[in-house]
Short mmCIF file of all heavy atoms in Angstrom, two decimals:
data_model
loop_
_atom_site.label_atom_id
_atom_site.label_comp_id
_atom_site.label_asym_id
_atom_site.label_seq_id
_atom_site.Cartn_x
_atom_site.Cartn_y
_atom_site.Cartn_z
N ASN A 223 -33.27 116.09 -48.08
CA ASN A 223 -34.15 116.62 -47.03
C ASN A 223 -34.15 118.14 -47.07
O ASN A 223 -33.11 118.76 -47.25
CB ASN A 223 -33.65 116.16 -45.66
CG ASN A 223 -34.35 116.90 -44.54
OD1 ASN A 223 -35.56 116.79 -44.35
ND2 ASN A 223 -33.60 117.73 -43.81
N ASN A 225 -35.17 121.42 -44.72
CA ASN A 225 -35.58 121.89 -43.41
C ASN A 225 -36.54 123.06 -43.57
O ASN A 225 -36.28 123.98 -44.33
CB ASN A 225 -34.37 122.37 -42.60
CG ASN A 225 -33.50 121.20 -42.17
OD1 ASN A 225 -33.98 120.08 -42.05
ND2 ASN A 225 -32.22 121.47 -41.97
N MET A 254 -37.95 118.30 -42.67
CA MET A 254 -37.82 118.34 -41.22
C MET A 254 -38.45 119.62 -40.73
O MET A 254 -38.18 120.70 -41.24
CB MET A 254 -36.36 118.25 -40.79
CG MET A 254 -35.78 116.86 -40.99
SD MET A 254 -34.18 116.62 -40.19
CE MET A 254 -34.64 116.43 -38.46
N LEU A 256 -38.33 122.13 -38.14
CA LEU A 256 -37.41 122.59 -37.09
C LEU A 256 -37.98 123.80 -36.37
O LEU A 256 -37.24 124.65 -35.86
CB LEU A 256 -36.04 122.92 -37.70
CG LEU A 256 -35.33 121.79 -38.44
CD1 LEU A 256 -33.92 122.21 -38.85
CD2 LEU A 256 -35.25 120.52 -37.60
N THR A 279 -38.08 115.51 -37.04
CA THR A 279 -37.94 116.65 -36.11
C THR A 279 -36.72 116.44 -35.23
O THR A 279 -36.12 115.35 -35.22
CB THR A 279 -39.15 116.77 -35.14
OG1 THR A 279 -39.22 115.58 -34.36
CG2 THR A 279 -40.45 117.01 -35.87
N VAL A 280 -36.38 117.46 -34.48
CA VAL A 280 -35.35 117.37 -33.44
C VAL A 280 -36.07 117.62 -32.12
O VAL A 280 -36.24 118.77 -31.71
CB VAL A 280 -34.23 118.41 -33.66
CG1 VAL A 280 -33.06 118.13 -32.71
CG2 VAL A 280 -33.75 118.43 -35.11
N ILE A 282 -35.48 117.63 -29.07
CA ILE A 282 -34.86 118.41 -27.99
C ILE A 282 -35.19 119.90 -28.13
O ILE A 282 -35.24 120.63 -27.14
CB ILE A 282 -33.32 118.17 -27.93
CG1 ILE A 282 -32.75 118.54 -26.56
CG2 ILE A 282 -32.57 118.92 -29.00
CD1 ILE A 282 -32.87 117.48 -25.52
N TYR A 283 -35.48 120.36 -29.35
CA TYR A 283 -35.83 121.77 -29.53
C TYR A 283 -37.13 122.08 -28.78
O TYR A 283 -37.25 123.09 -28.11
CB TYR A 283 -36.06 122.13 -31.02
CG TYR A 283 -34.88 122.03 -31.95
CD1 TYR A 283 -35.05 122.25 -33.31
CD2 TYR A 283 -33.60 121.72 -31.50
CE1 TYR A 283 -34.00 122.16 -34.20
CE2 TYR A 283 -32.53 121.62 -32.39
CZ TYR A 283 -32.74 121.84 -33.74
OH TYR A 283 -31.71 121.74 -34.62
N TYR A 315 -39.20 110.41 -38.12
CA TYR A 315 -37.88 110.15 -37.52
C TYR A 315 -37.46 111.29 -36.62
O TYR A 315 -37.85 112.44 -36.82
CB TYR A 315 -36.81 109.84 -38.58
CG TYR A 315 -36.50 110.95 -39.54
CD1 TYR A 315 -35.49 111.87 -39.27
CD2 TYR A 315 -37.18 111.07 -40.74
CE1 TYR A 315 -35.19 112.88 -40.16
CE2 TYR A 315 -36.89 112.08 -41.63
CZ TYR A 315 -35.90 112.99 -41.34
OH TYR A 315 -35.61 113.99 -42.22
N THR A 317 -34.24 113.27 -34.81
CA THR A 317 -32.81 113.51 -34.64
C THR A 317 -32.55 113.50 -33.14
O THR A 317 -33.15 114.29 -32.39
CB THR A 317 -32.39 114.87 -35.22
OG1 THR A 317 -32.51 114.81 -36.63
CG2 THR A 317 -30.94 115.19 -34.86
N HIS A 319 -29.40 113.56 -30.41
CA HIS A 319 -27.96 113.80 -30.29
C HIS A 319 -27.37 113.02 -29.12
O HIS A 319 -26.74 113.60 -28.23
CB HIS A 319 -27.70 115.29 -30.12
CG HIS A 319 -28.18 116.14 -31.27
ND1 HIS A 319 -29.45 116.63 -31.36
CD2 HIS A 319 -27.53 116.59 -32.37
CE1 HIS A 319 -29.58 117.35 -32.48
NE2 HIS A 319 -28.44 117.33 -33.11
N VAL A 338 -21.36 123.64 -33.41
CA VAL A 338 -22.29 124.41 -34.26
C VAL A 338 -23.67 123.79 -34.35
O VAL A 338 -24.60 124.40 -34.87
CB VAL A 338 -21.73 124.62 -35.68
CG1 VAL A 338 -20.49 125.49 -35.64
CG2 VAL A 338 -21.46 123.28 -36.36
N SER A 339 -23.81 122.56 -33.85
CA SER A 339 -25.12 121.92 -33.89
C SER A 339 -25.96 122.51 -32.77
O SER A 339 -25.51 122.62 -31.63
CB SER A 339 -24.93 120.41 -33.69
OG SER A 339 -26.06 119.83 -33.10
N ARG A 340 -27.20 122.87 -33.13
CA ARG A 340 -28.10 123.41 -32.10
C ARG A 340 -28.33 122.37 -31.00
O ARG A 340 -28.12 122.62 -29.83
CB ARG A 340 -29.46 123.77 -32.71
CG ARG A 340 -29.50 125.07 -33.44
CD ARG A 340 -30.93 125.64 -33.40
NE ARG A 340 -31.66 125.36 -34.63
CZ ARG A 340 -32.93 125.76 -34.85
NH1 ARG A 340 -33.59 126.44 -33.93
NH2 ARG A 340 -33.54 125.48 -35.98
N GLY A 341 -28.78 121.18 -31.44
CA GLY A 341 -29.05 120.10 -30.48
C GLY A 341 -27.79 119.72 -29.71
O GLY A 341 -27.83 119.46 -28.50
N GLY A 342 -26.66 119.68 -30.41
CA GLY A 342 -25.38 119.31 -29.78
C GLY A 342 -24.99 120.30 -28.70
O GLY A 342 -24.55 119.92 -27.61
N ILE A 344 -26.99 122.27 -27.00
CA ILE A 344 -27.93 122.16 -25.87
C ILE A 344 -27.48 121.01 -24.95
O ILE A 344 -27.38 121.16 -23.72
CB ILE A 344 -29.37 121.89 -26.37
CG1 ILE A 344 -29.90 123.08 -27.17
CG2 ILE A 344 -30.31 121.57 -25.21
CD1 ILE A 344 -31.16 122.80 -27.99
N SER A 377 -32.53 109.23 -36.33
CA SER A 377 -31.53 109.91 -37.13
C SER A 377 -30.52 110.35 -36.08
O SER A 377 -30.70 111.38 -35.43
CB SER A 377 -32.19 111.11 -37.83
OG SER A 377 -31.25 111.80 -38.59
N LEU A 378 -29.52 109.52 -35.86
CA LEU A 378 -28.59 109.82 -34.75
C LEU A 378 -27.82 111.09 -35.06
O LEU A 378 -27.07 111.16 -36.04
CB LEU A 378 -27.68 108.63 -34.50
CG LEU A 378 -28.38 107.39 -33.91
CD1 LEU A 378 -27.40 106.22 -33.80
CD2 LEU A 378 -29.00 107.70 -32.54
N GLY A 379 -28.02 112.11 -34.26
CA GLY A 379 -27.52 113.45 -34.55
C GLY A 379 -26.01 113.58 -34.44
O GLY A 379 -25.38 112.92 -33.62
N ASP A 380 -25.45 114.43 -35.31
CA ASP A 380 -24.01 114.71 -35.21
C ASP A 380 -23.83 116.04 -34.51
O ASP A 380 -23.54 117.07 -35.11
CB ASP A 380 -23.33 114.66 -36.59
CG ASP A 380 -23.91 115.65 -37.59
OD1 ASP A 380 -25.08 116.04 -37.42
OD2 ASP A 380 -23.19 116.02 -38.53
N GLY A 381 -23.97 115.98 -33.19
CA GLY A 381 -23.89 117.18 -32.37
C GLY A 381 -22.50 117.79 -32.34
O GLY A 381 -22.32 118.94 -31.97
N ARG A 383 -20.41 117.83 -35.10
CA ARG A 383 -19.91 117.98 -36.47
C ARG A 383 -19.06 119.24 -36.57
O ARG A 383 -19.29 120.21 -35.83
CB ARG A 383 -21.07 118.03 -37.46
CG ARG A 383 -21.97 119.25 -37.33
CD ARG A 383 -23.00 119.35 -38.44
NE ARG A 383 -23.95 120.41 -38.16
CZ ARG A 383 -25.10 120.25 -37.50
NH1 ARG A 383 -25.45 119.05 -37.06
NH2 ARG A 383 -25.90 121.27 -37.28
N ILE A 418 -27.70 107.70 -39.66
CA ILE A 418 -26.67 108.45 -38.94
C ILE A 418 -26.42 109.80 -39.60
O ILE A 418 -26.22 109.87 -40.81
CB ILE A 418 -25.33 107.67 -38.98
CG1 ILE A 418 -25.54 106.17 -38.73
CG2 ILE A 418 -24.30 108.27 -38.04
CD1 ILE A 418 -26.07 105.82 -37.38
N GLU A 419 -26.39 110.86 -38.80
CA GLU A 419 -26.12 112.18 -39.37
C GLU A 419 -24.62 112.46 -39.45
O GLU A 419 -23.84 112.02 -38.62
CB GLU A 419 -26.83 113.26 -38.55
CG GLU A 419 -28.33 113.10 -38.61
CD GLU A 419 -29.11 114.25 -38.00
OE1 GLU A 419 -28.49 115.24 -37.54
OE2 GLU A 419 -30.35 114.16 -37.98
N GLY A 420 -24.25 113.22 -40.50
CA GLY A 420 -22.84 113.54 -40.71
C GLY A 420 -22.66 115.01 -41.07
O GLY A 420 -23.63 115.76 -41.19
N PRO A 421 -21.39 115.39 -41.28
CA PRO A 421 -21.04 116.82 -41.40
C PRO A 421 -21.59 117.50 -42.65
O PRO A 421 -22.02 116.84 -43.56
CB PRO A 421 -19.52 116.78 -41.43
CG PRO A 421 -19.19 115.45 -42.00
CD PRO A 421 -20.27 114.53 -41.55
N GLY A 422 -21.53 118.79 -42.63
CA GLY A 422 -20.91 119.81 -41.83
C GLY A 422 -20.05 120.64 -42.78
O GLY A 422 -20.48 120.99 -43.87
N TYR A 446 -26.51 110.28 -43.55
CA TYR A 446 -27.34 111.45 -43.89
C TYR A 446 -26.55 112.69 -43.53
O TYR A 446 -26.33 112.95 -42.35
CB TYR A 446 -28.67 111.33 -43.12
CG TYR A 446 -29.48 112.57 -42.92
CD1 TYR A 446 -29.68 113.48 -43.96
CD2 TYR A 446 -30.10 112.83 -41.70
CE1 TYR A 446 -30.46 114.61 -43.77
CE2 TYR A 446 -30.88 113.96 -41.51
CZ TYR A 446 -31.05 114.85 -42.54
OH TYR A 446 -31.82 115.96 -42.34
N THR A 447 -26.05 113.40 -44.52
CA THR A 447 -25.11 114.49 -44.22
C THR A 447 -25.68 115.87 -44.55
O THR A 447 -26.56 116.02 -45.38
CB THR A 447 -23.80 114.32 -45.01
OG1 THR A 447 -24.09 114.31 -46.41
CG2 THR A 447 -23.10 113.01 -44.64
N LEU A 448 -25.11 116.85 -43.90
CA LEU A 448 -25.50 118.25 -44.07
C LEU A 448 -24.45 118.87 -45.01
O LEU A 448 -23.44 119.37 -44.59
CB LEU A 448 -25.47 118.92 -42.70
CG LEU A 448 -25.88 120.38 -42.56
CD1 LEU A 448 -27.25 120.62 -43.13
CD2 LEU A 448 -25.85 120.77 -41.10
N GLY A 449 -24.71 118.82 -46.31
CA GLY A 449 -23.69 119.18 -47.30
C GLY A 449 -22.78 118.01 -47.50
O GLY A 449 -23.25 116.95 -47.89
N CYS A 480 -28.90 116.57 -46.62
CA CYS A 480 -29.71 117.63 -46.02
C CYS A 480 -29.36 118.93 -46.73
O CYS A 480 -28.20 119.33 -46.76
CB CYS A 480 -29.39 117.74 -44.53
SG CYS A 480 -30.35 119.01 -43.69
C1 LIG B 1 -28.17 116.54 -41.08
C2 LIG B 1 -26.94 115.99 -40.94
N1 LIG B 1 -26.35 116.55 -39.92
C3 LIG B 1 -27.20 117.47 -39.41
N2 LIG B 1 -28.32 117.45 -40.12
C4 LIG B 1 -29.51 118.28 -39.92
O1 LIG B 1 -29.22 119.54 -39.39
C5 LIG B 1 -30.45 117.71 -38.90
O2 LIG B 1 -31.17 116.63 -39.45
C6 LIG B 1 -31.33 118.89 -38.63
O3 LIG B 1 -32.30 119.02 -39.64
C7 LIG B 1 -30.39 120.08 -38.78
C8 LIG B 1 -30.04 120.79 -37.51
O4 LIG B 1 -29.50 119.94 -36.58
P1 LIG B 1 -28.66 120.41 -35.28
O5 LIG B 1 -28.07 121.74 -35.57
O6 LIG B 1 -29.61 120.49 -34.13
O7 LIG B 1 -27.66 119.33 -35.10
#
Side-chain angles (χ1 to χ4, degrees):
N223 168 64
N225 289 335
M254 288 192 76
L256 302 187
T279 61
V280 190
I282 201 83
Y283 296 175
Y315 64 90
T317 292
H319 299 86
V338 295
S339 152
R340 280 207 262 181
I344 295 166
S377 179
L378 291 175
D380 58 336
R383 66 173 172 268
I418 317 296
E419 296 189 2
Y446 160 44
T447 60
L448 182 55
C480 181

